Amino acid sequence: MGQNLSFRKNNRRKKKKKPQMKKKNHLKFTNRSKKLKFEKKNYHITKNTLILAGEILCVCLVAVLLIAFFGHRVSNAGDAMSPTIENGEVVLVDRLIVDMKTPSRGTVVAFRPDGNREVHLLIRRIVGLPGETIQIKDGTVYINGKEQKKHIHVSEIKDAGIASDEIKLGKDEYFVLGDNEESGEDSRSETVGVVKADEIYGKVWFNVSSGEHFGFVKR
């Protein structure tokens, strides 16, 4: 029994003790300084306001341009365009289209005879185009020697005026007639004569007067 006890003791002595790891002291520094906070301004409100203001400005500019080029109001004086446009009715004039392309036959235009800005704008219908030959005989309009019926709103013209003889239109000249040949002056009269392109103020396209004639002016 004594040997066994001594043997166990020896074994216990032989066992090496595990070295104990010293715990390292981790130093912790607390950052007590206050973080700088930058105030975020609400920029999207300003941006939306600017966008809205820009849209309103664009709408206003478009409206001004539409009125300036398409919505110029002209009152019709006399019965020369009756029954299409009666005396005193107000129409809208498109000023832009005459600068973009030449008016076609049947177009109703507002113009100043001889370019005189002191006189009221006349409203008549284009019948003869630049380069054509116009003549009125036996109450009928002839263009380049052929009877013209399309876009002629007047029949049995009693007074041919200066168009009783052939009229050769220049490269920028138009022959105009009223829809009522018994009233008013047009290209048949010497006081009006042929209308030059630069005398045309614009195309009459809409009748804004209340009543049966309200709407687009027919060709």
Side-chain angles (χ1 to χ4, degrees):
M1 290 292 291
Q3 289 181 354
N4 289 336
L5 289 173
S6 61
F7 177 77
R8 288 178 183 176
K9 287 179 181 180
N10 291 332
N11 285 341
R12 286 178 184 174
R13 289 173 184 173
K14 289 179 181 180
K15 287 184 179 180
K16 294 182 180 180
K17 293 183 180 180
K18 292 183 179 180
Q20 293 181 354
M21 299 293 294
K22 293 183 179 180
K23 293 183 179 180
K24 293 182 180 180
N25 292 328
H26 295 283
L27 297 177
K28 295 183 179 180
F29 298 93
T30 304
N31 188 0
R32 295 181 179 179
S33 60
K34 294 183 178 179
K35 293 182 179 180
L36 295 177
K37 294 182 179 180
F38 296 94
E39 183 180 355
K40 293 183 179 181
K41 294 184 178 180
N42 200 353
Y43 287 106
H44 74 277
I45 296 178
T46 305
K47 184 177 180 181
N48 291 339
T49 304
L50 290 174
I51 293 173
L52 180 60
E55 291 176 349
I56 294 173
L57 180 60
C58 289
V59 170
C60 292
L61 289 175
V62 171
V64 170
L65 291 174
L66 288 176
I67 293 172
F69 292 110
F70 303 102
H72 188 79
R73 296 162 63 94
V74 174
S75 61
N76 180 47
D79 297 316
M81 287 300 294
S82 178
T84 306
I85 306 173
E86 299 290 354
N87 180 38
E89 290 186 335
V90 178
V91 295
L92 298 181
V93 177
D94 179 355
R95 300 183 61 189
L96 184 62
I97 193 169
V98 294
D99 294 327
M100 297 178 62
K101 66 177 184 178
T102 56
S104 58
R105 197 186 325 276
T107 302
V108 178
V109 294
F111 66 97
R112 289 189 174 93
D114 295 327
N116 188 353
R117 294 184 176 273
E118 302 299 323
V119 299
H120 189 78
L121 285 166
L122 297 183
I123 298 176
R124 301 292 186 268
R125 190 181 299 276
I126 291 178
V127 173
L129 300 175
E132 294 180 338
T133 300
I134 309 296
Q135 186 178 18
I136 299 176
K137 56 183 181 181
D138 301 326
T140 304
V141 177
Y142 288 84
I143 297 178
N144 296 334
K146 296 182 179 180
E147 183 179 353
Q148 178 70 31
K149 291 184 178 181
K150 191 175 182 180
H151 301 307
I152 304 295
H153 288 247
V154 59
S155 59
E156 297 182 2
I157 302 174
K158 297 176 183 178
D159 184 12
I162 63 175
S164 57
D165 297 324
E166 287 187 350
I167 299 175
K168 177 66 175 180
L169 299 175
K171 63 179 182 180
D172 63 343
E173 293 179 338
Y174 296 85
F175 190 91
V176 299
L177 285 177
D179 288 357
N180 178 11
E181 67 96 15
E182 295 182 354
S183 179
E185 297 179 328
D186 47 38
S187 290
R188 295 172 297 162
S189 64
E190 292 183 357
T191 55
V192 176
V194 296
V195 178
K196 294 183 178 180
D198 58 3
E199 296 172 358
I200 297 177
Y201 185 71
K203 173 187 174 182
V204 177
W205 67 281
F206 200 89
N207 192 329
V208 297
S209 300
S210 59
E212 60 178 337
H213 293 148
F214 176 83
F216 294 99
V217 176
K218 64 179 180 179
R219 293 189 60 185

